[in-house]
Amino acid sequence: ALLTQTGTNAPVATVLNNTTGGTITWTRTGSGAYTATIADAVFTENKTVVFANPGIMVSNDNSFGWARTNDTQIAVSLSTDGRVTDGSFEIRIY
C-alpha cells in the first residue's frame, strides 16, 4: 500500500495488492503511532515482515519503526504525525 498520514488523522492506505483475504484498517493511537489491524489472525509470529519507507518526508527526521503486536495487529511508529506521504508499506506473510 501507499500510506499518507496528515495532522492527527489515521493513515490513509491506497492498496496496491492484498492477498490476505481480509481488509486492513489503519488507526492513529497517538502522536506518530499507528496500528494496522486485520480481523483474521494472519500476522503469524516469525513469519510476518514489513518492508517500508516513509516516501516524501516533510522533515529530515527519518525515524521509522514497526512491530508485530499480535496475530491481527502491526504497530508503526514515526517521530511525530504528518511525516509520511505516499510511503510504501508492504506486509509479507511467509
Side-chain angles (χ1 to χ4, degrees):
L2 297 177
L3 288 181
T4 296
Q5 191 281 322
T6 58
T8 58
N9 299 312
V12 174
T14 301
V15 177
L16 304 177
N17 189 27
N18 181 348
T19 60
T20 66
T23 300
I24 297 172
T25 303
W26 286 89
T27 55
R28 178 185 179 270
T29 57
S31 180
Y34 318 101
T35 301
T37 304
I38 193 165
D40 298 321
V42 297
F43 301 146
T44 310
E45 187 174 13
N46 298 321
K47 293 189 180 264
T48 301
V49 65
V50 171
F51 297 95
N53 81 51
I56 303 166
M57 294 293 290
V58 294
S59 78
N60 290 331
D61 184 352
N62 291 327
S63 64
F64 181 89
W66 71 273
R68 180 195 154 278
T69 307
N70 56 49
D71 287 350
T72 62
Q73 292 186 326
I74 292 176
V76 175
S77 63
L78 296 165
S79 59
T80 190
D81 288 325
R83 296 286 191 230
V84 60
T85 300
D86 289 334
S88 64
F89 192 86
E90 180 179 0
I91 301 169
R92 287 192 192 176
I93 305 157
Y94 296 94

